Amino acid sequence: MVSHDSKHFLRLGVNIDHVATIRNARGGWHPDPVRAAIMAADGGADGITAHLREDRRHISDIDIARLRQEISLPLNFEMAATEEMLEIALTHKPNAACIVPEKREEVTTEGGLDVHSGHNHLKRYVHELREAGIRVSLFVDADERQLDAAARLEADIVEIHAGAYCEAHEQRKPELRAQELERIKQACVYGQSLGLEMHAGHGLTFDTVKDVAVLPELRELNIGHFLVGEAIFLGLVPAIQKMRALMNEARTAAGLAA
Ligand code: PXP
């Protein structure tokens, strides 16, 4: 058994953005991402992640307000480093804010935040969020320079972008998959040595989760698109339960059980 209190427990954050994507395809209220967030707890989610994008293509301002009022799980608010998003974060005070890069034309968050070059711009955001008691996470590629910059900014957490690893898996490129996984591994070891709490996410599926879940430094995985897609076939709660079980199996097999 892996205990929630163990330093080896790996939390599962469920990203509900794409429940809102389906809702918005028709307008109206169905399916309700807040209902999905409530159900996610039954599946074993340890937290809920929602990204309020500048163009509001999925999650809306009302969703964020309702998530804050109606769910008991911790909320991880994904946001771009803009004045508008900072104000919203300071209003709702989520448990954590994950700063992500955002381009209007992208389909999803395509790469990590350039913390190294954007250090001066990000400084105020990290500071104000932390002053408000919000834990700050920076979504970065598995790159030591980015981790150094995140540590200099005194971010609490970095979330490593797992997209390149997952894409290599999907494209059936085993060598590239192994290389990308190795980069994530190295980044986790290095980031932890800098005192950063290590998370990972983006693109994870039933097939890719276990190799990441065994990394002992990781404390949280954030998974969304695949789970919402799989909910069509399995149902939301069973899909989350299956992801949770795979994470637990991987941790236990790696000797990370409490
Ligand atoms: N973590 C971060 C920072 C993200 O931006 C996203 C995508 O919104 C995810 C995790 C979840 O990625 P996916 O939806 O591909 O599982």
Side-chain angles (χ1 to χ4, degrees):
M1 272 292 289
V2 183
S3 148
H4 275 62
D5 299 328
S6 159
K7 75 180 168 75
H8 292 309
F9 183 73
L10 182 61
R11 294 189 298 268
L12 171 59
V14 172
N15 181 315
I16 52 157
D17 291 352
H18 297 299
V19 177
T21 303
I22 299 170
R23 174 195 62 192
N24 294 0
R26 285 285 172 97
W29 295 95
H30 186 79
D32 178 11
V34 180
R35 182 174 164 203
I38 293 165
M39 289 179 76
D42 298 334
D46 303 287
I48 296 297
T49 295
H51 183 181
L52 185 67
R53 293 187 76 107
E54 184 195 13
D55 62 9
R56 309 300 198 266
R57 71 175 71 156
H58 37 58
I59 293 294
S60 70
D61 298 63
I62 295 169
D63 293 330
I64 296 295
R66 288 186 55 218
L67 283 169
R68 218 47 202 125
Q69 285 158 12
E70 296 178 35
I71 66 166
S72 50
L73 289 176
L75 177 66
N76 177 32
F77 176 65
E78 275 186 35
M79 55 176 272
T82 63
E83 283 305 319
E84 182 196 20
M85 290 302 151
L86 178 62
E87 209 173 292
I88 294 169
L90 295 177
T91 302
H92 295 293
K93 294 205 170 52
N95 304 79
C98 179
I99 305 182
V100 299
E102 202 173 295
K103 290 190 227 119
R104 260 167 205 253
E105 62 281 8
E106 70 189 357
V107 177
T108 180
T109 312
E110 284 164 3
L113 191 66
D114 189 353
V115 187
H116 178 75
S117 307
H119 186 275
N120 292 345
H121 173 70
L122 291 168
K123 199 170 177 170
R124 213 189 97 237
Y125 291 91
V126 174
H127 178 75
E128 290 205 22
L129 290 164
R130 293 192 76 216
E131 280 289 294
I134 300 166
R135 302 188 78 216
V136 176
S137 172
L138 302 175
F139 188 43
V140 301
D141 290 328
D143 171 343
E144 287 195 1
R145 272 195 334 169
Q146 301 299 343
L147 297 169
D148 284 331
R152 274 201 305 281
L153 279 175
E154 298 182 359
D156 302 280
I157 304 161
V158 291
E159 182 170 330
I160 301 293
H161 198 307
Y165 154 70
C166 294
E167 218 172 280
H169 176 89
E170 200 167 272
Q171 293 173 354
R172 298 194 170 81
K173 294 180 178 164
E175 277 176 31
L176 186 60
R177 182 194 196 275
Q179 267 172 33
E180 291 297 339
L181 186 59
E182 187 57 31
R183 284 182 63 209
I184 297 174
K185 261 189 211 175
Q186 301 288 338
C188 286
V189 171
Y190 187 67
Q192 181 166 277
S193 78
L194 298 175
L196 294 159
E197 181 174 312
M198 301 306 298
H199 297 182
H202 204 95
L204 291 167
T205 65
F206 293 152
D207 292 334
T208 51
V209 75
K210 282 181 121 180
D211 286 345
V212 174
V214 293
L215 304 180
E217 298 81 12
L218 284 174
R219 302 302 312 274
E220 181 170 309
L221 299 181
N222 282 302
I223 310 179
H225 183 268
F226 178 80
L227 287 174
V228 174
E230 204 57 22
I232 294 168
F233 306 110
L234 298 181
L236 183 62
V237 171
I240 296 170
Q241 281 170 335
K242 184 168 172 185
M243 190 63 84
R244 178 74 265 170
L246 291 170
M247 288 163 60
N248 288 351
E249 268 172 38
R251 277 324 245 191
T252 305
L256 297 171

